[in-house]
Amino acid sequence: MKSHFKILLTLAVLVMALAPASADATWTGTFVLGSCCEPNSLDPAAMGISQTEGYVINAMYEGLTQYSRAGEVRPRLATSWEISDDALTYTLTLREGVQFHDGSALDSEDVVTSLERHKALGLGNLGFILAPVASVSALDDMTVEIQLSAADFQFWAGLPHIKILSADAIAANEVDGDMAADFFRENAVGTGAYELARWDPGRQTEMTAFADYWGGWEGSHVETFIARYGLDFSTRLLLMEDGEVHLIDWAGLSDIRRAETTDAINYNLGNPLQGFYHFMKQDGPLADKKVRQALMHAYPYEAMIEVMQGVALPLSSPTLSGTVGHCDVFEPVQDMDAARALLAETGYADGFSLRQAYRHANEPRRFAAVLFQESLAELGIEVVLDDIPWGTFIDAQRNFDTAYDMTSHWLNIPIPYSGEMLFRLNHSSLIDTGTGNWAWYNNPAFDALLEEAPTLAPGDPRIDELLCQAQQILIDDAVVIPVMLSQYIDLTHSSVRGYQYDPYGFPGDLRVHDIWLEN
Amino acid sequence: MGKLLLERLLTLVLKLFGMAVILFVVTQVLPADPAAVAAGTDARPEQIEKIRQQLGLDKPFHEQFITYISGLARGDLGKSLLTRRAVSDDLRLRFPATLELALFSGIVIVIFGVGLGIIAAVKAGSPLDFLIRAFVVISMGIPPFVLALFLQLIFAKSLDMFPLEGRLPTRLAPPPYATGLYTVDSLLAGQWDLFWSSLRHLALPVAALALGRLAVGARFTRSGMLETLSQPFVRTARAKGLREGRVIIRHAFRNALIPVVTMLGIQIGFLLSGAVLVEVVFTWPGLGRYAVESVLSFDFYAVIGAALIIAVIFVVSNTIVDLLYAQLDPRIKHR
């Protein structure tokens, strides 16, 4: 009898131990993302711009802070913080009771190790965020102090994207001082709501709800999150019609029409931190500011918005609304008479020829190139279009002689800070790197404004003032044409609830913890 | 046979070395920056430089060449710029998927292609022969990816008979890795449900890939058989009162096999290397898709690795064909 009681007691303890953390959770099945592309790595320190990479990493890892959907910095693994008046010292208090997927508890050592590791490896596109960090130290178990070598607003704006890893897992998997880079490429030990169950390269990544997640599981949630890769677009749609895929990212214009024909699929629009720009290299006829201004007048802004069938918004500035420092400095209206008048003032009224790089396979870039080509033909300007892949383009752009006269591109920024977009657009340090400033613009006054703005403390009104001046300079000098904000389109299955596009979740955050499925 | 194998092995090594050198040089002189592609479109220059250093792309050409070739001699195919894994690891994951697709397609081609060819030849001039020839002409004219889309719409979407895509259902984990062929690995693990599921997933991609090749097989077999059936030794066999089945299979078909085997050898090579579009449509994570993704992203080491594998396949399949010749025709063996 006594031994039976012992067995029953053991069983009861086992059942309690194996039970999910929250008895109030309602599990609603498996949420499947159908994506084109596979992450290169699951390591947050190597995070690039692939949305899929972001979806997976953001489900398994968390930062010290996070952006609300309105773009405000909110607590995450840090519950409170203090910023010194000179914006050089950031003191953060960590959240109690947070566990990593390996069972270790979050403390200051995890934060110190993660930030140092991220800064040292920095293979992804977020390396610049930690560049100004001079030191990270633990004041006590739950308080961390970050010291900057120079004030840099971008550090604070980018901190939500820097993920915290388990220091124990880093130490346990380090090989030859690689900071566990090999291990974290295909494994994940974060504090996120979902933990890695399996990554089948070429096929899918499967994540399951982390029972001890500090945010709890009260309410309805999905138990498993699967990111599927390599799905052809038509196959993704067929799978979604059958409820086998619940979310398709980066849908095309024609998919909206398809979604409208079935009740099984909904489409959603979002405004990403991404602008579409036309660059004019300052060479030949384009070295003349009046010629560039004429081309700015000739740009078919309205036609471009129209051809995008309602999923694009005009830009009134080189920066994006909703970002710190944005101001309206420009009216996107085509005026061919003004263009002709300006060209008449130059020696190029009889026309000339320009070479433009574009991608034919990309609908908006093709539309933009062809529409502008037609507009310029009316002014006697011939545009020769070259369809060129990214690797070849960037190689050509490094050399002034081989760089294209014109090119159109999207630029994404990871943080809602206009200075970052202006830097990518036209800062002189990017000349001959091929990674931005394809206008080969070199204006020390413009550079100085961009360099001063981030040294001010977060919230300083002079940030807006300086960046606004910088935007005005770009428009006056006519080096870059802000074409449009092409909206992000995604498709969701009709059973999906709780999903909302997050423009601040770089490079993509589905907030899977908020999602559930309804039968 | 031993001498032939040794000869082929030496030729293979030389061919692979030559190919690796040519591909390495070609990929290096292309006007493109693989580090920039690996870093992504919004990378900053410092990130691109870091990746360039990490991948050894900052070193002079001759240093990169020596490093690569000496690695190749040790069986190291380099590191993929895109996945950052060893190319050999990527190929180990991807190649079995394509091999499985090609093997099952090969079986279908041999059984149905050769079978239809024999029937058409035996029934030459009959309505059945006409039907088979019409089937052959139509099948050869349909590109595999078009057929793949039709098969998806009809058999997966409308009739719900077979899965739409993939090697396994999303919610099922693959069997423990032994060969990478899901059908074989699931059998080895005794996972019958997985075996059945992976077979069902193979049905449509195999059909899409095999139909056109099957038609070629049928055509080759028919013409070979027609020629052989008109030979005096077949008449002699019939005159001796042998059963018609024996005459066709033991006498005629065996002698018609040489061109058929040649064709099948070439087909196997094409099946392994030419399944790209079928792999894309059916989300089949195989070698073809890997090669295309690598080319598009200037992932040079991966491109060379995939090309070498394809070269090996062609040489091996041709060697097998040569060995089969010797088995089928003793005169070849004695020469």
Side-chain angles (χ1 to χ4, degrees):
Chain A
M1 187 70 184
K2 210 171 178 180
S3 63
H4 283 167
F5 177 73
K6 271 186 180 170
I7 291 168
L8 279 174
L9 192 67
T10 314
L11 279 174
V13 169
L14 267 174
V15 167
M16 282 169 72
L18 293 172
S22 169
D24 301 326
T26 305
W27 299 113
T28 60
T30 300
F31 176 71
V32 182
L33 162 74
S35 188
C36 61
C37 318
E38 184 165 19
N40 295 336
S41 166
L42 299 183
D43 191 340
M47 190 155 67
I49 55 141
S50 151
Q51 293 246 146
T52 321
E53 210 161 74
Y55 296 148
V56 172
I57 289 173
N58 280 314
M60 298 189 289
Y61 290 98
E62 293 172 299
L64 292 167
T65 54
Q66 78 174 127
Y67 279 112
S68 71
R69 286 203 169 92
E72 297 148 342
V73 176
R74 292 267 175 85
R76 188 96 182 230
L77 293 180
T79 50
S80 61
W81 50 80
E82 276 177 31
I83 303 172
S84 64
D85 290 343
D86 58 5
L88 287 173
T89 310
Y90 292 73
T91 311
L92 298 103
T93 306
L94 304 183
R95 186 180 294 279
E96 301 275 356
V98 175
Q99 264 195 39
F100 284 98
H101 302 152
D102 62 358
S104 60
L106 171 78
D107 62 19
S108 302
E109 192 202 341
D110 297 304
V111 177
V112 173
T113 312
S114 296
L115 296 193
E116 285 175 347
R117 180 181 184 275
H118 205 300
K119 188 173 159 71
L121 292 178
L123 294 170
N125 286 2
L126 299 171
F128 73 96
I129 291 168
L130 295 181
V133 173
S135 67
V136 189
S137 51
L139 297 185
D140 61 44
D141 275 359
M142 300 306 280
T143 313
V144 177
E145 186 183 272
I146 303 169
Q147 196 74 39
L148 304 190
S149 52
D152 192 339
F153 175 78
Q154 296 184 94
F155 160 74
W156 186 242
L159 196 60
H161 303 320
I162 304 297
K163 307 299 177 194
I164 305 303
L165 292 74
S166 157
D168 289 354
I170 295 172
N173 296 288
E174 184 158 11
V175 180
D176 299 332
D178 75 339
M179 296 178 150
D182 263 350
F183 173 80
F184 279 100
R185 189 177 302 124
E186 298 189 9
N187 296 279
V189 188
T191 59
Y194 290 82
E195 59 183 325
L196 183 66
R198 199 174 55 247
W199 180 13
D200 298 331
R203 184 177 173 234
Q204 61 190 39
T205 306
E206 187 174 330
M207 291 144 282
T208 50
F210 176 43
D212 294 322
Y213 181 55
W214 62 267
W217 292 103
E218 211 170 287
S220 298
H221 302 276
V222 290
E223 200 167 11
T224 310
F225 166 38
I226 294 177
R228 293 212 47 198
Y229 312 125
L231 289 168
D232 168 60
F233 211 94
S234 63
T235 309
R236 284 202 272 175
L237 280 169
L238 291 173
L239 287 170
M240 181 170 269
E241 281 173 5
D242 291 345
E244 291 289 316
V245 160
H246 300 100
L247 190 135
I248 293 174
D249 61 340
W250 290 110
L253 295 173
S254 54
D255 303 308
I256 292 181
R257 306 287 95 85
R258 181 145 171 192
E260 283 169 348
T261 63
T262 166
D263 293 336
I265 302 176
N266 300 317
Y267 74 87
N268 318 285
L269 298 179
N271 296 346
L273 295 176
Q274 176 187 267
F276 187 69
Y277 301 93
H278 187 86
F279 296 85
M280 295 179 280
K281 186 177 79 167
Q282 298 183 66
D283 185 28
L286 294 178
D288 187 330
K289 189 161 109 177
K290 282 190 177 167
V291 174
R292 297 198 304 271
Q293 285 173 332
L295 264 61
M296 248 179 127
H297 281 300
Y299 202 91
Y301 304 97
E302 299 95 329
M304 196 59 213
I305 300 294
E306 198 179 321
V307 86
M308 291 296 288
Q309 300 172 38
V311 295
L313 302 169
L315 288 178
S316 56
S317 152
T319 66
L320 307 168
S321 62
T323 58
V324 173
H326 163 83
C327 62
D328 296 338
V329 289
F330 167 70
E331 199 183 349
V333 178
Q334 187 184 36
D335 186 345
M336 294 301 277
D337 292 335
R340 277 190 197 93
L342 275 166
L343 278 179
E345 291 175 27
T346 68
Y348 297 104
D350 295 336
F352 49 88
S353 182
L354 295 169
R355 221 163 49 102
Q356 181 178 341
Y358 84 119
R359 286 316 314 263
H360 187 83
N362 185 297
E363 270 186 347
R365 285 187 69 186
R366 186 171 71 241
F367 294 155
V370 172
L371 284 174
F372 197 31
Q373 188 186 38
E374 284 173 3
S375 295
L376 293 185
E378 286 181 37
L379 300 174
I381 302 170
E382 183 202 20
V383 178
V384 179
L385 298 176
D386 253 6
D387 185 8
I388 181 168
W390 176 250
T392 313
F393 168 75
I394 206 166
D395 202 56
Q397 292 303 106
R398 286 210 178 106
N399 186 320
F400 188 79
D401 295 331
T402 54
Y404 283 84
D405 299 317
M406 301 197 293
T407 182
S408 296
H409 268 289
W410 273 284
L411 282 184
N412 295 287
I413 48 169
I415 50 176
Y417 171 63
S418 291
E420 169 66 4
M421 183 63 92
L422 294 169
F423 180 89
R424 289 293 314 281
L425 284 171
N426 292 107
H427 194 275
S428 65
S429 67
L430 295 181
I431 282 178
D432 79 13
T433 64
T435 58
N437 195 359
W438 294 301
W440 292 72
Y441 183 60
N442 189 351
N443 182 344
F446 173 78
D447 289 354
L449 291 167
L450 293 194
E451 282 151 22
E452 188 186 346
T455 63
L456 303 170
D460 191 323
R462 281 207 301 139
I463 294 177
D464 292 330
E465 199 181 299
L466 295 174
L467 294 178
C468 206
Q469 279 179 44
Q471 289 161 73
Q472 191 63 58
I473 288 174
L474 278 193
I475 294 301
D476 291 346
D477 280 352
V479 283
V480 62
I481 304 176
V483 178
M484 62 177 174
L485 184 151
S486 63
Q487 289 179 292
Y488 167 81
I489 311 164
D490 64 29
L491 307 177
T492 47
H493 187 254
S494 55
S495 63
V496 175
R497 299 286 180 275
Y499 168 72
Q500 196 187 333
Y501 174 68
D502 177 6
Y504 301 102
F506 178 85
D509 188 354
L510 296 175
R511 301 197 183 204
V512 187
H513 187 249
D514 296 345
I515 295 174
W516 77 97
L517 303 173
E518 196 167 273
N519 289 329
Chain B
M1 186 190 286
K3 196 180 163 195
L4 178 74
L5 276 177
L6 193 68
E7 256 179 42
R8 285 303 165 99
L9 193 67
L10 282 173
T11 322
L12 175 64
V13 171
L14 285 174
K15 276 180 187 165
L16 291 182
F17 181 76
M19 262 188 75
V21 172
I22 293 168
L23 283 169
F24 189 86
V25 173
V26 168
T27 51
Q28 293 291 316
V29 297
L30 279 177
D33 183 356
V37 178
T41 48
D42 285 309
R44 289 199 173 197
E46 53 269 27
Q47 261 75 56
I48 295 177
E49 282 316 307
K50 219 164 195 173
I51 286 173
R52 199 186 309 288
Q53 284 166 19
Q54 194 202 31
L55 298 171
L57 299 170
D58 57 332
K59 297 193 176 109
F61 172 78
H62 68 275
E63 250 183 73
Q64 287 188 52
F65 181 74
I66 291 168
T67 310
Y68 183 73
I69 294 298
S70 56
L72 199 61
R74 296 190 307 273
D76 176 6
L77 292 169
K79 213 169 196 181
S80 161
L81 310 183
L82 201 64
T83 67
R84 314 276 163 86
R85 281 189 293 267
V87 171
S88 49
D89 285 348
D90 280 346
L91 293 175
R92 193 178 62 87
L93 289 168
R94 299 299 189 104
F95 180 61
T98 301
L99 181 65
E100 189 167 44
L101 193 56
L103 280 178
F104 277 86
S105 302
I107 292 169
V108 169
I109 291 169
V110 169
I111 294 175
F112 292 98
V114 173
L116 283 177
I118 294 173
I119 294 169
V122 171
K123 303 282 179 191
S126 71
L128 185 60
D129 177 35
F130 174 78
L131 275 179
I132 292 173
R133 279 192 292 152
F135 166 76
V136 164
V137 171
I138 292 167
S139 304
M140 282 170 69
I142 305 175
F145 73 94
V146 174
L147 182 64
L149 292 171
F150 273 115
L151 291 172
Q152 272 189 329
L153 286 172
I154 297 166
F155 293 101
K157 195 78 183 113
S158 302
L159 301 175
D160 201 18
M161 286 170 69
F162 295 104
L164 189 68
E165 51 77 51
R167 294 181 78 189
L168 279 178
T170 305
R171 289 165 187 81
L172 277 188
Y177 190 98
T179 62
L181 311 179
Y182 284 2
T183 44
V184 177
D185 290 353
S186 54
L187 278 180
L188 291 174
Q191 294 174 302
W192 294 99
D193 52 337
L194 271 191
F195 173 72
W196 177 238
S197 185
S198 50
L199 267 186
R200 291 189 70 238
H201 278 78
L202 271 163
L204 296 186
V206 163
L209 191 59
L211 192 70
R213 308 277 165 206
L214 176 159
V216 176
R219 195 171 183 166
F220 262 81
T221 310
R222 182 182 179 274
S223 60
M225 281 292 287
L226 279 179
E227 198 184 325
T228 318
L229 284 170
S230 63
Q231 296 291 318
F233 70 86
V234 174
R235 269 204 308 276
T236 309
R238 280 182 178 139
K240 280 164 72 180
L242 292 177
R243 280 201 310 272
E244 186 62 11
R246 194 178 166 87
V247 171
I248 290 165
I249 300 299
R250 290 291 297 275
H251 291 258
F253 180 58
R254 191 170 172 148
N255 281 283
L257 261 178
I258 294 273
V260 174
V261 167
T262 309
M263 178 276 303
L264 286 175
I266 297 167
Q267 298 285 19
I268 294 289
F270 276 112
L271 284 176
L272 282 162
S273 59
V276 179
L277 289 169
V278 172
E279 286 185 3
V280 169
V281 174
F282 287 103
T283 325
W284 200 265
L287 183 68
R289 234 179 62 193
Y290 179 73
V292 169
E293 285 163 6
S294 306
V295 169
L296 292 177
S297 48
F298 298 98
D299 192 350
F300 297 153
Y301 296 138
V303 171
I304 300 172
L308 292 180
I309 286 278
I310 290 167
V312 171
I313 293 159
F314 267 97
V315 173
V316 168
S317 56
N318 282 336
T319 307
I320 293 171
V321 167
D322 285 350
L323 294 176
L324 280 175
Y325 283 165
Q327 292 297 312
L328 293 170
D329 188 344
R331 288 168 302 179
I332 295 173
K333 191 157 59 178
H334 294 314
R335 269 205 292 269

